Amino acid sequence: MKFAIISAGEGSRLSQEGVTLPKPLVQLNGVAMIDRLIRIFIRNGADKVVVIINNESPLTKEHLAKLQQETEVPLEVVVKTTPSSMHSFYELSSYLQDDKFCLTTVDTIFREEEFAAFIEAFKRADNDGYMAVTDYIDDEKPLYISTDGALNITGFHDAATSECRYISGGIYCLTPTAIRTLNACMDKGVSRMRNFQRQLVADGLKLKAYPFKKILDVDHAGDIVKAEAFLAGKE
């Protein structure tokens, strides 16, 4: 199984708030966010890890070049500035077309034991996708997810409905079938990940919601402290 990391954003909010390191290199309890993800992926059976970074961060490029020599599984690095996460996904998609894969952004923070169970469940499943979800809402613009009683996903929504118990956690486990939907979305000029996810449902893909107790994003300087406390078991 392959794992992919979208890390092509500029991290402008962090830099405006005084964080000097590029976002992928921001440390949580002494470990760079991108290193943390790569290590977790390897421990959870990655055959290959693919990362996209923007071409405006030589520090991140140098850091990953060193990691490429040290990691025990292949680490592919795509260097390209993209206008959105969905465009970044598209740039990674050629590496992900022949096997199940897991995709997330560099600043998605979760507990590894929950993630490991999520990956194992997806490996055993015959669904087209498993989406990490949580009822912990700490997002400026959450994507709400409606499900049936068996946690099959029935829709993605910008506002909560009576069927929305969870929001998206931003960790996507998908099969190569999803790449066809991605390509069609790109051809039509669709440019937001949430609209791609809506199209997965419209195309009839079978997606399952997998609940996590908590998933955080590191968008602001204050989020670093929250993420460190969460990972240290203090939240």
Side-chain angles (χ1 to χ4, degrees):
M1 182 170 165
K2 297 179 181 179
F3 292 76
I5 304 170
I6 294 173
S7 189
E10 297 177 4
S12 57
R13 284 177 288 190
L14 286 171
S15 61
Q16 289 166 6
E17 294 168 7
V19 177
T20 56
L21 284 171
K23 194 172 195 178
L25 304 186
V26 169
Q27 295 198 352
L28 301 178
N29 299 324
V31 180
M33 287 198 291
I34 199 159
D35 292 25
R36 175 181 174 273
L37 277 183
I38 291 170
R39 291 174 190 176
I40 288 172
F41 292 167
I42 291 171
R43 287 195 291 266
N44 283 277
D47 300 315
K48 177 180 283 190
V49 179
V50 190
V51 182
I52 183 168
I53 62 173
N54 65 49
N55 55 17
E56 299 160 18
S57 179
L59 274 179
T60 305
K61 186 177 180 181
E62 291 166 13
H63 182 83
L64 288 172
K66 185 178 179 183
L67 281 184
Q68 283 177 308
Q69 299 174 357
E70 298 173 351
T71 55
E72 57 264 44
V73 303
L75 174 62
E76 298 277 357
V77 180
V78 178
V79 182
K80 187 170 184 176
T81 299
T82 60
S84 72
S85 293
M86 190 169 147
H87 285 82
S88 292
F89 178 23
Y90 179 74
E91 295 297 331
L92 295 173
S93 63
S94 62
Y95 298 91
L96 307 173
Q97 297 184 76
D98 57 354
D99 195 5
K100 288 184 172 183
F101 62 90
C102 177
L103 171 76
T104 192
T105 55
V106 72
D107 64 334
T108 301
I109 311 301
F110 48 82
R111 290 211 170 104
E112 186 172 351
E113 59 269 24
E114 286 191 299
F115 181 79
F118 170 60
I119 294 299
E120 283 305 310
F122 178 60
K123 286 179 178 178
R124 296 192 303 266
D126 56 7
N127 297 67
D128 295 306
Y130 264 42
M131 302 293 198
V133 301
T134 181
D135 59 7
Y136 175 78
I137 301 177
D138 188 38
D139 196 304
E140 294 168 356
K141 295 180 180 178
L143 177 62
Y144 295 89
I145 293 178
S146 57
T147 62
D148 64 16
L151 290 182
N152 297 302
I153 294 174
T154 57
F156 296 90
H157 313 275
D158 293 328
T161 72
S162 59
E163 297 176 321
C164 295
R165 181 179 171 187
Y166 300 106
I167 65 166
S168 172
I171 313 171
Y172 318 103
C173 279
L174 296 165
T175 64
T177 305
I179 303 294
R180 292 200 294 268
T181 296
L182 173 67
N183 291 336
C185 285
M186 293 296 292
D187 289 343
K188 291 187 290 187
V190 175
S191 60
R192 300 185 72 195
M193 281 293 287
R194 58 183 57 196
N195 290 332
F196 158 70
Q197 292 173 79
R198 290 181 177 117
Q199 192 59 48
L200 291 174
V201 174
D203 286 351
L205 275 70
K206 304 302 178 186
L207 307 176
K208 192 95 170 180
Y210 189 97
F212 283 54
K213 289 181 181 176
K214 185 184 287 189
I215 299 173
L216 306 175
D217 290 327
V218 178
D219 292 319
H220 298 278
D223 295 337
I224 297 171
V225 176
K226 285 195 292 186
E228 289 183 323
F230 170 57
L231 293 175
K234 297 176 182 177
E235 278 194 15

